[in-house]
Amino acid sequence: MFSKNSIIGVVGSGAMGSGIAQVAATAGHKTIVYDTDADALEKSKTNLTNSLTKLVEKQKITDEKAKEILNLTSYSNSIQDFKNCALIIEAIVENSHVKQEVFKELESITSETCVLASNTSSLSITSIASACINPEKVIGIHFFNPATLMPLVEIIPGVATDLIIANHCQALINSWGKVTVMAKDTPGFIVNRVARPFYSEALRIYDEQIADMATIDWAMREIGGFKMGPFELMDLIGHDVNYVVTETVWKQFYYDPRFKPSLTQKRLLEANFLGKKSGRGFYDYREGATLSEPNKDEVLGKHIVNRILCMLINEACDTHYLGIASALDIDLAMTKGVNYPKGLLKWADELGLSQVLITLNELYSEYQEDRYRACILLKKMVKEEKHFY
Ligand SMILES: NC(=O)c1ccc[n+]([C@@H]2O[C@H](COP(=O)([O-])OP(=O)(O)OC[C@H]3O[C@@H](n4cnc5c(N)ncnc54)[C@H](O)[C@@H]3O)[C@@H](O)[C@H]2O)c1
């Protein structure tokens, strides 16, 4: 279906579209980037040149390769230029209606075999595809930011997507050097669903004043082995993105309390304390601001890590139980998409599934909240003395 001669189209030349185009051209494809905003196109072009210059300086690629990538990439303000594309990846504003209109137009100007993909993080692929006459060739291909550096790509067939097309897309993206996982079209797919407790359970612990954010971050880094603590990571992502993803996933899951957002984070967003980029978030990044010191109490630290980790494992179990993705793909997604130190299901095996269930049951009996209900699969596996690997 695809070959090196396949022309790749990218709609949207923002952060994601620019990165995706660079990945496609680096893999040797003629790549066309289209945007309605001429300034955005110009910026994308400049960013590609700068990015390639840096890669040559660092001897990651040769000068010839950089020239080849530049020659393969073109920028256009006319959607008509996509007419010979084999695959078009859309990375525009996160709005279902706008995306549907663009997909309709793309379908009308391209060949019958052209695959139309969306890089959406939170919208339903099935819903975007429903605007097309041939929804079987519409799919989710979800890169992570920055697309040039993050190895993971989630492949998401919608309800109507032809699975043969999905397999061809997966093989193509693998050939670009990415690690792909297949996920069912459900809110947050794999990563943006399974990772929710990393933030929300940390916020819950903080809101309940069990520990302050510096202590929670310290515990998750030093004891849990995560690269960043939840609060520093939320500040880095920005609350305009992180809070909105949490709220969207919660709403799409019919307000399941497991995904309930925190008012503390909402207030930060309302105050425009967006995190590192605005100078203030959970932490104060302004010059001269003092950093709070963590309470390095090992017992408290282990309690924090165990609680957040068991909630993460519970979500990973449910994602597997509901057939969203295989155990292997869930673990790959979390290690390659958000750099977790270990796959959550492998981690669950190592901790002992019965230990994870004990922690969840303790939380459930303490709070009497649906949020802490243990996944049925976990209960069954404990009963049958099974493990994931
Ligand atoms: N930023 C992330 O971390 C991230 C990660 C994964 C997925 N995504 C998803 O990728 C998509 C793009 O995100 P982004 O951060 O690159 O956005 P962005 O705001 O940086 O870029 C979007 C670009 O799309 C252009 N655009 C808007 N409407 C258009 C239209 N109708 N036709 C053509 N171009 C149009 C805009 O001019 C802009 O240049 C979204 O769906 C987002 O959910 C984002």
Side-chain angles (χ1 to χ4, degrees), residues 57-244:
E57 276 167 13
K58 286 186 192 159
Q59 298 187 331
K60 294 254 164 85
I61 56 169
T62 62
D63 205 27
E64 287 69 42
K65 181 71 184 170
K67 279 185 189 133
E68 181 196 310
I69 297 168
L70 281 174
N71 284 336
L72 284 169
T73 316
S74 59
Y75 296 84
S76 167
N77 58 6
S78 166
I79 201 167
Q80 297 296 333
D81 288 342
F82 281 150
K83 64 178 183 299
N84 295 321
C85 286
L87 168 69
I88 299 172
I89 305 174
E90 165 278 315
I92 63 165
V93 56
E94 190 74 336
N95 176 307
S96 200
H97 178 69
V98 179
K99 287 192 197 279
Q100 283 182 337
E101 289 305 308
V102 168
F103 272 70
K104 256 195 249 175
E105 199 176 356
L106 289 172
E107 190 179 34
S108 72
I109 57 156
T110 51
S111 76
E112 259 180 34
T113 55
C114 177
V115 176
L116 306 177
S118 175
N119 185 53
T120 179
S121 298
S122 64
L123 302 172
S124 152
I125 300 300
T126 305
S127 165
I128 296 170
S130 71
C132 292
I133 299 163
N134 296 306
E136 62 276 6
K137 59 177 197 168
V138 177
I139 192 164
I141 300 186
H142 183 220
F143 287 78
F144 288 75
N145 193 12
T148 47
L149 296 180
M150 296 304 288
L152 188 76
V153 179
E154 293 176 328
I155 308 287
I156 309 116
V159 167
T161 310
D162 181 342
L163 287 182
I164 296 174
I165 291 178
N167 290 334
H168 281 295
C169 289
Q170 184 164 33
L172 176 73
I173 307 295
N174 283 339
S175 78
W176 294 359
K178 294 293 182 188
V179 175
T180 55
V181 291
M182 192 75 89
K184 219 182 204 172
D185 184 15
T186 48
F189 313 129
I190 304 175
V191 171
N192 280 331
R193 174 208 188 123
V194 176
R196 286 329 330 136
F198 187 73
Y199 315 108
S200 61
E201 204 50 30
L203 279 157
R204 181 80 188 239
I205 292 168
Y206 170 74
D207 283 340
E208 288 184 23
Q209 303 173 69
I210 294 168
D212 61 21
M213 52 195 165
T215 302
I216 300 169
D217 278 349
W218 161 79
M220 292 304 280
R221 259 189 283 105
E222 301 303 320
I223 301 174
F226 289 85
K227 287 230 166 73
M228 290 179 86
F231 294 92
E232 46 194 8
L233 183 55
M234 283 185 274
D235 270 0
L236 182 70
I237 295 169
H239 302 292
D240 49 339
V241 175
N242 184 268
Y243 176 81
V244 172

Side-chain angles (χ1 to χ4, degrees), residues 235 238-240 264-283:
D235 270 0
H239 302 292
D240 49 339
T264 304
Q265 194 183 15
K266 188 176 187 192
R267 291 290 178 266
L268 283 185
L269 176 62
E270 288 167 348
N272 253 324
F273 289 4
L274 302 182
K276 220 167 176 179
K277 62 184 166 193
S278 71
R280 270 183 98 168
F282 283 112
Y283 294 104

Side-chain angles (χ1 to χ4, degrees), residues 31 101 120 126 206 307 315 319 336:
T31 305
E101 289 305 308
T120 179
T126 305
Y206 170 74
R307 178 165 165 175
E315 206 46 59
T319 303
K336 301 291 181 188

Side-chain angles (χ1 to χ4, degrees), residues 8-14 17-18 20-22 31-35 40-41 44 48 73-78 81-82:
I8 309 298
V10 177
V11 195
S13 62
S18 299
I20 295 166
Q22 185 173 339
T31 305
I32 304 165
V33 186
Y34 157 74
D35 201 299
L41 275 178
S44 177
L48 177 65
T73 316
S74 59
Y75 296 84
S76 167
N77 58 6
S78 166
D81 288 342
F82 281 150

